[in-house]
Amino acid sequence: MSAGPSSAGPPGAIRPVSPLLPEPAEIVEKRSFGADLHAFRLRLLDPAARPRFDFQPGQFNMVYVPGVGEVAISISSDPDDADLEHTIRIVGRTTAVIERLGPGDVLGLRGPYGNGWPLQEARFKDVLVVTGGLGCAPVSGAIDYMFRRRASYGHITVLHGVKKPADLVHASRFEAWRRQPDTTVVLTTDQPDRVWRDRTGVVTEHFEEVELDPSRTVVLICGPEVMMRYAIRILRRRGVSDDRIFVSLERNMHCAVGWCGHCQLGPEFVCKDGPIFPVRRLGRFFGVHGL
């Protein structure tokens, strides 16, 4: 699948833009983290379209493969970057086709959709980021955003867990964050190998290492929902209120605009009302099997 001719009209013509039409974007870089996990850096073929893709860390795009389908993928790059990065795990028909693509191939993008992490609300407060597995990808852009504006945030703690060391994507980012002042990075794995030098066990086993003042801490959580539920219980016991704990939910999102109902969770549509919610807002619907 290679870059084709532009679909733009005659010179000077104003092309109508629908939020539901994908915009062609070329893959300019592909980085692999094991057999089924890849980061794709995409560049819009029409540079004039880039402002429409300005995003807040935490939002997602629909990534379109012509003739195959679309998948909702979080944007893992910094909002100030010209290109858009998406880290994709290969789990279905559409992502299986994307896996076979590389630099020079073209995908479609529409978005961004959903809301972003509460980075304005977190200004001048401590921030605790708790992630598991590929959950680090939707938060990576938010962490980079805070470090680029370091004076606006208090102590930043990143607590991230993976099943095995090979699952640690963006390792260089974690090392760069670890070198930042007033920052704590805790990495852990369930299945350490001979070269692993960080913690072992699941993320929630290491909360006691984290110093936090519940009155001035905002918590961002992304990862498996079972991990999020246990993390929330611990945070509540340590005095963090539900309106300061934010989770990013993953659901089967088809339209991304709240029309199809596939991602409905109680009264909320995860695609347009989320994917990021304060725990207080989710209430009794969070963690209910089948919702």
Side-chain angles (χ1 to χ4, degrees):
M1 208 173 299
S2 301
S6 169
S7 60
I14 298 176
R15 186 175 61 171
V17 176
S18 165
L20 297 181
L21 288 179
E23 187 74 27
E26 181 182 359
I27 299 171
V28 294
E29 182 184 12
K30 176 183 180 182
R31 288 177 290 127
S32 299
F33 308 95
D36 61 352
L37 192 60
H38 311 278
F40 294 87
R41 187 162 285 270
L42 303 175
R43 184 170 300 160
L44 297 168
L45 295 186
D46 179 5
R50 180 60 182 84
R52 289 195 287 108
F53 284 82
D54 285 348
F55 67 96
Q56 303 171 47
Q59 288 188 291
F60 66 93
N61 282 326
M62 297 300 291
V63 180
Y64 170 62
V65 182
V68 182
E70 280 186 316
V71 286
I73 305 291
S74 296
I75 309 165
S76 51
S77 48
D78 186 282
D80 290 342
D81 292 347
D83 298 330
L84 300 163
E85 184 176 270
H86 298 77
T87 303
I88 301 176
R89 184 178 293 283
I90 310 306
V91 292
R93 184 184 63 156
T94 303
T95 54
V97 175
I98 294 174
E99 182 184 29
R100 298 198 292 270
L101 304 181
D105 291 322
V106 174
L107 293 167
L109 287 181
R110 62 181 177 96
Y113 294 113
N115 60 0
W117 294 105
L119 296 174
Q120 290 302 311
E121 183 175 338
R123 293 181 75 214
F124 307 113
K125 299 184 179 69
D126 296 338
V127 179
L128 168 60
V129 180
V130 183
T131 57
L134 194 54
C136 67
V139 196
S140 295
I143 298 172
D144 284 337
Y145 178 96
M146 290 188 285
F147 281 129
R148 288 190 182 185
R149 298 151 185 86
R150 192 65 189 88
S152 297
Y153 295 90
H155 190 87
I156 297 175
T157 301
V158 179
L159 179 52
H160 178 59
V162 291
K163 186 174 183 181
K164 55 186 184 298
D167 294 335
L168 182 63
V169 301
H170 303 306
S172 60
R173 268 173 151 170
F174 286 101
E175 290 306 313
W177 297 335
R178 182 172 268 166
R179 292 193 293 270
Q180 295 286 333
D182 204 15
T183 302
T184 301
V185 174
V186 177
L187 300 177
T188 184
T189 181
D190 301 5
Q191 302 171 8
D193 59 18
R194 296 177 62 182
V195 298
W196 182 259
R197 292 291 179 269
D198 278 285
R199 315 305 198 273
T200 60
V202 298
V203 161
T204 47
E205 293 177 36
H206 297 282
F207 266 77
E208 295 306 317
E209 297 179 41
V210 176
E211 295 183 10
L212 65 85
D213 177 348
S215 68
R216 57 166 286 116
T217 300
V218 172
V219 185
L220 318 180
I221 309 179
C222 188
E225 286 199 12
V226 63
M227 179 209 78
M228 292 198 281
R229 290 200 301 271
Y230 279 101
I232 291 166
R233 289 179 194 172
I234 295 170
L235 290 164
R236 285 170 172 165
R237 287 202 298 269
R238 296 187 63 172
V240 183
S241 64
D242 282 1
D243 58 358
R244 286 178 175 266
I245 305 173
F246 294 82
V247 296
S248 180
L249 298 184
E250 184 175 345
R251 287 294 185 276
N252 185 15
M253 292 187 272
H254 285 194
C255 70
V257 291
W259 290 353
C260 71
H262 280 84
C263 65
Q264 188 166 2
L265 178 69
E268 311 280 3
F269 291 90
V270 174
C271 67
K272 73 178 184 64
D273 300 321
I276 295 161
F277 296 91
V279 170
R280 171 189 48 76
R281 185 167 152 192
L282 291 173
R284 63 188 175 89
F285 295 104
F286 180 63
V288 177
H289 182 70
L291 288 182

